[in-house]
Amino acid sequence: MPQPPAHRSRRFILKGRVRKPKSPSESDEEGGMPPKKPRLAWQETWSSEGSSRPAEDSLLAEGSSPAAESSPAAESSPAAESSPAAESSPAAESSPAAESSPAADSKDESQLLDPNKARKLCKDTSVEFIEAYVRGTEKDKEAQKMLFLSKICALCRTVSEKGLTLDLHAFCRKNKLVENIMALLEKEPMDSLRTEFRQKAMETIAVLSNTVPRALHGKKESLRNACYRSVFFLPPESDVPERKRALYTKTMNAMDPMLAAFVRNCPTASISAELQNILEVLLDFAGSKNSSVCERAVTRIERLSDFILSHFVAKISDYNEKHKDSHKDLRKLYIPILGQLLGHLFIVSCGTDSVSCTAFDALFRFYKIISDGRECSLTKDMENYAETHKSLKDATFPLIVMSFPCEIAEAFGGYLFPSERLDIILTALEALQDSSVHDKQGACSVLDTALEDPKYWLTDVPTIMERIRKNLDSIHTASARRCLDSLLLQLTNLMSREEVKNLLQFSPPSDSTALGMWEVVLAMPQTLEKVLNALMEDLPLRNWCTAVTEDTCIRRLAMLAQNHVSEEEFGNPVHLQSYLKHPSPAMRLMALKGLSTVSESPEKARKIQVVLPDILEALQDTNADVVLKALLVLRNVMARVERREAGRTALQLAEKLLPLFDHESSQVREHSICLFQAVTEAVLRQRKRALKRTVHSSLLPLYFRMRDQSESVAKASGEALVVAAEFLRRKELKHLAQTKQTCRIGECLLQQDGGRVEEYLQQSQPYLQDSQTVLRLEAVRFIGLAARYSGDQSEEKQNEIISVLRSSGKDVEPMVRCLAAQTIMILASRRNRTSGRRFRQLWCC
C-alpha cells in the first residue's frame, strides 16, 4: 500500500455532520420569525441548504389567495405577479385561504365543490392563462415565462387545497405542460445565468411531482437531463459577479428538492429504480474533466444522500413494518449503481479540495444508510470480513475517518454485496487509465484493499481480467502499472483451471494487450507453474496446439516449457520462426520468453538449434528487452549442447555479440560479454583459426569496458579478457587482465600487435562519443598513445589523428577537453619536429 501523503491528516466526525430535518417551529425560532402553519401536501418540497427563503415564500407561494389570482390588476400585469413584491404581498399572507386551519382544510376536502364551480374557479385563476400561453407564439418573453410557471403552481395549489375534481393529469397532458417547461429550459443559454427562470422551472417541476406525479411518468429522465445541462455547464461560481452570487446559489440548490420530490413521490417499491436513474446520470457528470461540473454533480449526490438518511430510511422502515407479510425488506435500498458510485467517491475523497470534502460527507451518509439497512441481511463471508476489520471500524467508522480510500473501502467492505465490490474494483481500474481525471493514487489505494484480501474482493476473476485486457494499452503511469501487475498476479493465483483455459482461448497473442497480460502472468514462477499445470492436466488443451497459428503461440510455448512432454507433443520447433519474426516486439519477446524456459532442458535446448539463426537475428533488434531475452536463450543453448555442436555456431555467434559490448543497456552489455566468454571457452581447445580474428577484435572493447561505470560490466569484461588472452596465447595480456592492471593493458596491446595499430585507432574513435566520461577520457589517452606506435608517421596521418581529437575539444566535461588539448599539443609538436627533420634532410641532399 502506498504511504499516505504527509498532509493527509484531516478528520471528519459524522455525528456532528449529519443534517436532521428541523420542524417548522424550530426553524421559526432560530430565524426569529413568528410560527407558520404546517405545510400542506403540495408544499412538501425539500428546502436545500443555503437557500435564503423557504419554498412556500418563493414561487410556490405566488397567488396563494384566489382573490388575488382573479383580480383584474393581477391578470393585467404579468410583471407584477412575478415580482418579489407580489410574492410577499401582505394581502396574500392575510387572505383566508392562507390562514385556513387544518380543520378548515379537512372540511373543504370532504365537501368538494360542484364540478362547474370548480371549473369556473380554475378558469378565473390559472387555467385560462396557461391555455392561452401554450397556444400562443410569444413564449420567449421573460415575464410571460415566469407567469406561466407561477400559474402552474397556483393551479396545483388550488386543486390540492380545495380538493377540486379537476383532472390535473389530463390537463397537463392536453396542454403538454412538462414538454413546454422542458423546451423553455433547453433554450436557456448554458454559458450565462441572467434570470431566475431556471430556479423557478425546477421548483415548478417539484410542485408538479408533489401534486400530480402521473404527469411526469416517462418524462423524468428528459426533465432531469434538461435541468442538468442547463445548470451544470454554467461558468464557475468564482467567475460570477458578486451581485449575481445569490441567484447562482439559489439556482444550484433548486435542483435538490426537485430530485428529492422525484424520489418521494414514486411508489415505495420503485424507490431503488428511481435512485438508480438519478445517480446514474449524476455519476457521469461527476467524472467530467470540467472541475466545476464534477463539483456540482458530487454536491447533488451528497445532498441526495442527506435526504435519504434524514427522511427516507425511517419511512421505508415504517412501510416494511406495515407490509412485512407481503413485501420484501426494502431497507437494503439495493441500487445497482451503488458500487460504481462508492468507488468514485472513494477515489475522489483522496484529494484536498472542496470536492473531496463533499465526497466524504456523502460517504458518511451512505455508510450509515448501508450499515443500518443491511445489518440483518449479511452473508457469512460479509460477517467474517466485518469481524476481521472490526478494529478498523471501531477506531475510524462511523465516528472518525482518516482520508485514505483504502481504509474507507475496508470499512464499507463488510456491508457490500459481491456485485458492488466488483463494481468498485472495475471503477478503480477505469481510473488508472491515462485519460482518466481521477487521482491514480486514490485508485491504487482502493485496489490495495482488494490485494490485502483477494478472496473476498476478487470474486469475479474473468470479468476483472477482461477489464484489464481492455484498459491495459491506455495505462502507462509507473505507479498504476505496478499496481496493475500486482493485481494480475493475484488474479492468476485465484484462477481456476477452467478460467485459465478461457483466458488462453480468448486472449490471442496478436492482441498487444493480451501479450502485456501474459508477459506479467508468465514472469513469476508461481503463476507460470499454475498456468502450465492447468494446461497439462487437460488433454483437450493439448490438442489446441495441433494447428500452427498465431493464436496458439502462448499455448504452444507453455506446452514446450513442460519438461515431461513427449517428443510427439513437442512438435517441430521450426514453427517458432514465425513467432520470432513477428512485426510486434511484444510478440517476439513473448516467444523468446517461452524459449528461455524451454532451453533449460538439455534435450529441448538441442532441438532449439533449428531456430538459432532466427534467435541470432533477434540480437540486432531495436528493443533492448528482446535482445536481452535472446541472449538468455543463447546462453542456455550453448551451455547444454555438446562442444562439437557449439563449435559450429561459435563463430557466427561471436561476431553478432561484438556490437553488443557497447549497447546502451548495461544488462545487454553484461550478458553479451558473459556469453562471448562462454563461447570462447567452449572452443578453447579447438582454437579455430576463423575465430581468432573475432577474438582479436574483442580485445580493445573488453579493455575499454573494464572501466565501465557498471561494476558488473567491468567485472565481466575483465574475466572475458582473461579468456580471450588465453585463447590467443598472450601470457602478458592474460596476467595484466588477471591482476587488473588496466593502465598497462592499452600499451601492451599496442606493443604486441604492431600490425593492428590502425585497427585499434579505428575501434577507439567511437568511444570519444560514449555517454560515460571515463570511457571518453580513456579513448583520448589511447588514441594519443596509438599515434606513437603507428607505423605511418606522415604529416597527413598525424593531422588525421589531431582532427579526430579536436571533436573532444568541445566535450561537455572539462577534464576531457583539457586532456584532448594536451594530446593535440603533443602530437602537433612531434609533427613539427618531424617536418623540420625532413626539411633538413632535403636541404642536405
Side-chain angles (χ1 to χ4, degrees), residues 164-172 214:
L164 304 181
T165 58
L166 176 64
D167 188 349
L168 274 180
H169 175 245
F171 179 78
C172 292
R214 289 176 57 202

Side-chain angles (χ1 to χ4, degrees), residues 10-23:
R10 169 165 48 86
R11 300 189 178 193
F12 296 90
I13 300 178
L14 176 63
K15 285 186 175 181
R17 299 185 63 85
V18 176
R19 301 189 192 95
K20 297 182 179 179
K22 297 179 180 180
S23 64

Side-chain angles (χ1 to χ4, degrees), residues 585-586 588-589 592 618-619 621-631:
R588 300 194 296 273
L589 179 62
L592 288 167
L619 295 177
D621 202 288
T622 57
N623 187 295
D625 293 331
V626 172
V627 175
L628 185 60
K629 193 59 66 176
L631 290 171

